[in-house]
Amino acid sequence: MKAIRPAEPGGPATLRLDEFPDPIPGPGELVVETRAIGVNYIDVYHRTGLYQTPRPIPMGLEGAGVVQAVGEGVTTARVGQRVAWCQAPGSYATRAVVPAARVVEVPDGVDDRVAAALLLQGMTAHYLVTDTFPLRPGHVALVHAAAGGVGLLLVQLAKRAGARVIGTVSTPEKARLSREAGADEIIFYREHAVDDEVRRLTGGRGVDVVYDSVGRSTFEQSLRSLRTRGYLVLYGQSSGPVPPLDPQVLSARGSLFLTRPTLGHYTQERGELVARANDLFGALARDTLKLHIGAEFPLADARAAHEALEGRATTGKVLLLP
């Protein structure tokens, strides 16, 4: 098989497609022939070494394909079944080894590309608005990177929950996509101070929650955008890690709440994983959720995909195709 597994952390140039032995499933595992592979910003963290991983680095967490072999004890999947998954390291490959407990069946009528594009970012958006800070009618949410892969889905799910949504974007095209997803207001963060615009748009009150995937460059503005007892949900750090914070700052700025969630803790049980995936697939089937695939690259061009992602030149989901 062919896979991308850098020997050491580094830049996009480390993403080379090499030959590896065909995998054999262990107990509780599947071997899946990949048909489409999701690219997520966490892949950048793994590639650069910001998040520690084994060596060689098993790039990629998400994909969709057809089961080729099942390991001992597997009863939830069969050879020939179409499945999708996330949180399975080593997915940048023509064949991936995936824990059977982490896969979901792809419904009939759902394309492999759509299935690979939906799970990680879709379930992230899902847990953020349903559990981390459960949105209700009357809430006002600020969504950073509102035209990104998670951002577009987060805007839609926030609107489904009845919230008013303010999105931050960098270009008119990204603003158009975010508005089409349902954003009520748009802030061009390169032209305006986000917190000043938030105060203007909310009559000085601030928002109930900020969903921030950017990190270092937005953190202070996010804190200043919150109402008293507001929630800052920091679920990514595409601009870099946030510096250490004195908790007294949260008190001084209005008894604020700060959380740093991750998808793994919101899909620990298989039942929760399947329920979130089924809710998303159901919304797609009812056409109440739309998925935007912004770019597709051959697996061999993963370097270009990462360069586009890090350069903020993408919208929606980025895929690799074997």
Side-chain angles (χ1 to χ4, degrees):
M1 72 161 189
K2 293 184 177 181
I4 295 175
R5 296 176 181 172
E8 296 293 337
T14 63
L15 301 177
R16 295 183 296 271
L17 190 62
D18 295 318
E19 290 283 351
F20 291 89
D22 284 340
I24 298 173
E29 294 179 337
L30 310 173
V31 171
V32 184
E33 181 181 276
T34 56
R35 298 287 178 82
I37 301 158
V39 178
N40 300 284
Y41 215 94
I42 192 173
D43 301 348
V44 174
Y45 304 155
H46 290 156
R47 190 203 76 224
T48 60
L50 182 62
Y51 290 0
Q52 294 300 307
T53 61
R55 305 289 191 273
I57 301 170
M59 290 297 304
L61 297 173
E62 178 184 40
V66 178
V67 177
Q68 298 295 304
V70 299
E72 180 183 349
V74 173
T75 60
T76 56
R78 64 187 185 279
V79 172
Q81 185 178 24
R82 294 173 63 233
V83 296
W85 65 91
C86 64
Q87 299 174 295
S91 294
Y92 283 17
T94 54
R95 292 196 171 195
V97 176
V98 184
R102 307 307 298 175
V103 306
V104 296
E105 184 172 7
V106 178
D108 292 340
V110 176
D111 180 83
D112 293 324
R113 293 161 55 257
V114 171
L118 180 65
L119 285 191
L120 194 147
Q121 293 179 342
M123 289 197 293
T124 297
H126 191 278
Y127 84 72
L128 290 174
V129 304
T130 61
D131 291 275
T132 305
F133 184 88
L135 287 173
R136 301 287 184 267
H139 282 148
V140 183
L142 176 65
V143 177
H144 285 296
V150 176
L152 289 174
L153 295 167
L154 186 51
V155 170
Q156 292 178 73
L157 295 179
K159 292 303 298 180
R160 185 177 77 170
R164 179 188 176 200
V165 177
I166 303 170
T168 71
V169 300
S170 58
T171 68
E173 172 61 14
K174 291 182 177 182
R176 180 186 67 79
L177 290 170
S178 187
R179 286 193 184 278
E180 287 179 355
D184 298 285
E185 307 285 352
I186 293 294
I187 298 172
F188 290 96
Y189 65 82
R190 290 176 178 168
E191 300 174 14
H192 303 282
V194 171
D195 52 314
D196 288 345
E197 285 296 287
V198 164
R199 295 293 172 182
R200 181 181 68 81
L201 293 169
T202 60
R205 176 179 181 269
V207 296
D208 298 283
V209 58
V210 178
Y211 295 109
D212 189 341
S213 63
V214 181
R216 185 189 299 271
S217 66
T218 54
F219 187 74
E220 283 295 324
Q221 293 183 78
S222 295
L223 286 176
R224 293 196 297 266
S225 296
L226 289 166
R227 64 160 170 84
T228 300
R229 303 202 313 254
Y231 280 68
L232 174 47
V233 180
L234 182 69
Y235 70 97
Q237 49 192 35
S238 61
S239 68
V242 172
L245 175 74
D246 179 355
Q248 184 64 26
V249 171
L250 303 177
S251 172
R253 295 190 179 181
S255 296
L256 304 179
F257 294 83
L258 169 64
T259 184
R260 180 59 172 89
T262 186
L263 177 60
H265 294 146
Y266 286 84
T267 55
Q268 287 188 110
E269 302 297 330
R270 175 162 174 79
E272 187 175 27
L273 170 73
V274 172
R276 293 194 193 282
N278 286 345
D279 192 13
L280 293 167
F281 281 130
L284 283 178
R286 295 187 299 273
D287 202 31
T288 58
L289 183 70
K290 297 185 183 299
L291 189 66
H292 177 70
I293 297 174
E296 297 177 349
F297 297 83
L299 178 57
D301 288 343
R303 172 180 178 170
H306 275 230
E307 288 173 341
L309 194 65
E310 290 181 275
R312 299 190 180 184
T314 64
T315 59
K317 187 67 177 186
V318 177
L319 293 177
L320 299 175
L321 302 179

